Amino acid sequence: MRKKYFLGFIAVLAISAFVLYWDLKQTNFKALLSASKNINYSFIILIFLVILCTYLCEALILFVLAGRKRFSDLIHFYRVPLIQALFNAITPMATGGQPAQLIALKQMKIELGPASSLLLMKFIIYQLVVFCAYVWAFFTGHQLLGEMDHFNIVIVISFLIHLSTIIFLLFGMFARKTLKRIGALLFKLGGYFTSSRKLINLQESLDQQVDEYYLESQKLFQHKKSLVISFILTCIQLTLFYSVPFLTIKALNLSGSWVELMHLNILVALFMAVIPIPGASGGAELGFQTLFKFFVKNGAQLVLGMFIWRFATYFFGMLLGVIAWLIRPKKNIRG
């Protein structure tokens, strides 16, 4: 593992440990011990099974998009999202996940070109489904925003960033020439602030990427069956993932609305997306405590719930990712 990734790993552990220490320092130990005795371990097991199923969905998406037929290959594809989870966790704003997946696919003897196309198709589908989830939570759970103090501003900003991303993706798929014209106009305006030669190189690079993206998106539409299956699997994956807080509440033997907890988890994900720290460490824990205090009134239970949620959705994936990174696929696997 490269030095920068190792430093990211250390930073995540250090920040998360500090947040946990700070919370424990302010929590009555006897109350925490009492809350831990009331944990429903059946739901704890279910939480980890659900997380494993989310990775299975992701592996199946890659399996389907790659057009594989042998289910014996699925175990190798299962390794890819685990490695992605590790590098998403230890790099700022999850920037390391995509390159790590490319390496994992290359180790499966899938060439760089097809591997890039495969990940791009998966990325497009994921962004569309995530955006639909954001729209659903943002507009049907808008009443929650008024109760989140300063978090609502960050969540709105994050929503607008994701909206601009999805607009860019849609323009790349259906209005490539218009997107290029917009880019040319922006670069022309930028000419007042920097050298024209640099801007020309940037514009040429952007145009090339837009063309590549357009070609790959057209390939995606040619495989409608794979597209529909992958879309359904992505919906299942995200539904399972966003259900973890509800299961966490149940593990604490508390009651809560599954729909409202889904809203809150999606809004937490929006908040975490704009934190430029590996794994959104610190911000994720703070976001959980701020948003889920509506359902968990006891401070000790809130800290315990935060730990269960964070470990299951974050550190569990990191641990599995380390194992997956160390276990290489068989050399005779064929693309």
Side-chain angles (χ1 to χ4, degrees):
M1 188 180 291
R2 293 182 183 178
K3 185 178 179 181
K4 65 177 182 179
Y5 294 138
F6 179 73
L7 291 175
F9 185 79
I10 297 299
V12 166
L13 292 179
I15 296 171
S16 298
F18 175 77
V19 172
L20 184 61
Y21 165 76
W22 183 262
D23 286 331
L24 290 173
K25 186 180 178 182
Q26 300 180 75
T27 304
N28 184 290
F29 182 75
K30 288 184 178 179
L32 188 66
L33 191 63
S34 176
S36 65
K37 289 179 180 178
N38 294 323
I39 289 177
N40 188 326
Y41 287 98
S42 297
F43 278 101
I44 296 292
I45 294 169
L46 184 59
I47 287 169
F48 288 105
L49 288 175
V50 163
I51 293 297
L52 290 173
C53 285
T54 64
Y55 294 129
L56 177 61
C57 287
E58 233 179 313
L60 284 167
I61 291 165
L62 290 169
F63 181 85
V64 169
L65 291 175
R68 294 298 177 93
K69 304 295 183 184
R70 298 184 308 174
F71 273 92
S72 58
D73 291 343
L74 185 58
I75 186 64
H76 299 292
F77 280 106
Y78 196 92
R79 179 174 174 266
V80 179
L82 297 180
I83 290 173
Q84 178 193 17
L86 169 63
F87 284 89
N88 275 350
I90 62 177
T91 53
M93 301 184 78
T95 52
Q98 207 75 352
Q101 286 183 95
L102 274 175
I103 295 171
L105 290 171
K106 187 178 179 182
Q107 291 172 342
M108 293 173 60
K109 308 303 178 187
I110 299 176
E111 296 299 325
L112 186 61
S116 299
S117 301
L118 183 61
L119 293 179
L120 180 58
M121 288 190 285
K122 175 172 164 282
F123 175 76
I124 294 170
I125 296 167
Y126 182 82
Q127 286 299 322
L128 288 171
V129 177
V130 163
F131 181 70
C132 290
Y134 286 164
V135 170
W136 174 71
F138 197 78
F139 289 104
T140 62
H142 59 84
Q143 71 278 3
L144 294 169
L145 292 174
E147 303 177 37
M148 295 180 186
D149 301 325
H150 301 297
F151 283 92
N152 53 2
I153 299 172
V154 180
I155 289 169
V156 170
I157 292 172
S158 182
F159 178 79
L160 292 175
I161 291 172
H162 281 85
L163 178 62
S164 62
T165 300
I166 205 69
I167 289 172
F168 178 84
L169 291 173
L170 292 173
F171 264 86
M173 283 190 278
F174 303 109
R176 173 179 47 156
K177 292 180 180 178
T178 303
L179 184 59
K180 284 186 174 182
R181 291 194 195 102
I182 293 171
L185 178 61
L186 292 175
F187 282 118
K188 186 177 180 180
L189 293 172
Y192 294 105
F193 305 100
T194 187
S195 64
S196 58
R197 182 68 252 174
K198 186 177 180 180
L199 285 174
I200 290 171
N201 291 336
L202 285 172
Q203 185 175 350
E204 288 176 352
S205 176
L206 177 64
D207 288 346
Q208 182 181 353
Q209 290 179 35
V210 169
D211 287 334
E212 290 176 359
Y213 173 73
Y214 173 78
L215 291 173
E216 293 304 328
S217 64
Q218 298 311 301
K219 288 181 185 177
L220 177 63
F221 291 128
Q222 291 173 8
H223 301 86
K224 291 182 174 60
K225 184 178 178 182
S226 297
L227 176 62
V228 171
I229 293 172
S230 299
F231 185 87
I232 293 170
L233 285 169
T234 305
C235 290
I236 295 171
Q237 174 199 348
L238 289 173
T239 301
L240 289 171
F241 183 79
Y242 291 142
S243 297
V244 171
F246 173 74
L247 297 175
T248 302
I249 294 294
K250 300 300 287 183
L252 296 173
N253 281 312
L254 299 172
S255 59
S257 164
W258 177 72
V259 173
E260 286 188 2
L261 282 160
M262 286 273 285
H263 282 147
L264 286 167
N265 197 17
I266 293 168
L267 293 174
V268 168
L270 266 171
F271 170 71
M272 289 171 60
V274 294
I275 300 177
I277 301 174
S281 298
E285 292 85 354
L286 179 62
F288 179 90
Q289 291 186 51
T290 302
L291 301 181
F292 289 88
K293 65 183 180 183
F294 302 122
F295 297 92
V296 187
K297 304 300 182 183
N298 183 291
Q301 288 181 318
L302 185 62
V303 172
L304 196 59
M306 181 199 71
F307 176 77
I308 295 169
W309 170 76
R310 188 64 164 156
F311 185 85
T313 60
Y314 186 71
F315 289 105
F316 184 52
M318 283 179 64
L319 292 173
L320 293 175
V322 171
I323 296 169
W325 182 257
L326 295 174
I327 301 173
R328 299 292 182 94
K330 295 178 181 179
K331 291 183 178 181
N332 63 351
I333 186 170
R334 292 178 291 180

